[in-house]
Amino acid sequence: MGLFDRFRRKQRPGVLRSATSTDTGHLEQWAAARRGVEAYVEPKTTVTDTTIVLVAHDGEWTRRRIDGTEGAKKLAKKLEIPIYDAGIVGYPKRMREYSRRKNQGA
């Protein structure tokens, strides 16, 4: 091991990080702790891999990487929640309202 190896990044810049079991575990726990959860899939871009946004009944939300559209569908089926393509249907109004409320309180 070189003198500065421990300070180097684990991953090179410009390389997309794929979803991990930590990402999936977070999504599963988050959905289990809330009601009325829906999933919104965000497509892969040049900057980010495919992501999924879970939105609860009150607009609270979380976003994590997911293993493509098929991975998102499998997760939604496992969690028994509806899934939508965010690029087609957009995001629910309650999500924007929740974010607005959180920003006003900060």
Side-chain angles (χ1 to χ4, degrees), residues 32-101:
R34 287 152 184 86
R35 62 186 175 89
V37 176
E38 297 174 332
Y40 293 83
V41 180
E42 300 172 317
K44 180 179 180 178
T45 68
T46 56
V47 181
T48 62
D49 213 345
T50 304
T51 53
I52 188 168
V53 177
L54 299 185
V55 182
H57 79 285
D58 62 352
E60 183 181 4
W61 60 275
T62 189
R63 174 184 286 121
R64 291 292 186 275
R65 287 175 178 84
I66 195 79
D67 290 327
T69 304
E70 288 306 312
K73 288 177 184 176
K74 287 179 186 175
L75 179 65
K77 184 175 181 177
K78 180 178 181 179
L79 299 175
E80 298 179 349
I81 60 175
I83 185 168
Y84 306 100
D85 184 328
I88 296 173
V89 302
Y91 300 98
K93 183 179 177 183
R94 67 184 185 276
M95 180 180 166
R96 292 186 298 276
E97 291 170 348
Y98 178 85
S99 294
R100 193 175 303 116
R101 285 191 311 268

Side-chain angles (χ1 to χ4, degrees), residues 23-34:
D23 294 322
T24 308
H26 167 80
L27 293 167
E28 290 174 359
Q29 291 175 356
W30 194 91
R34 287 152 184 86

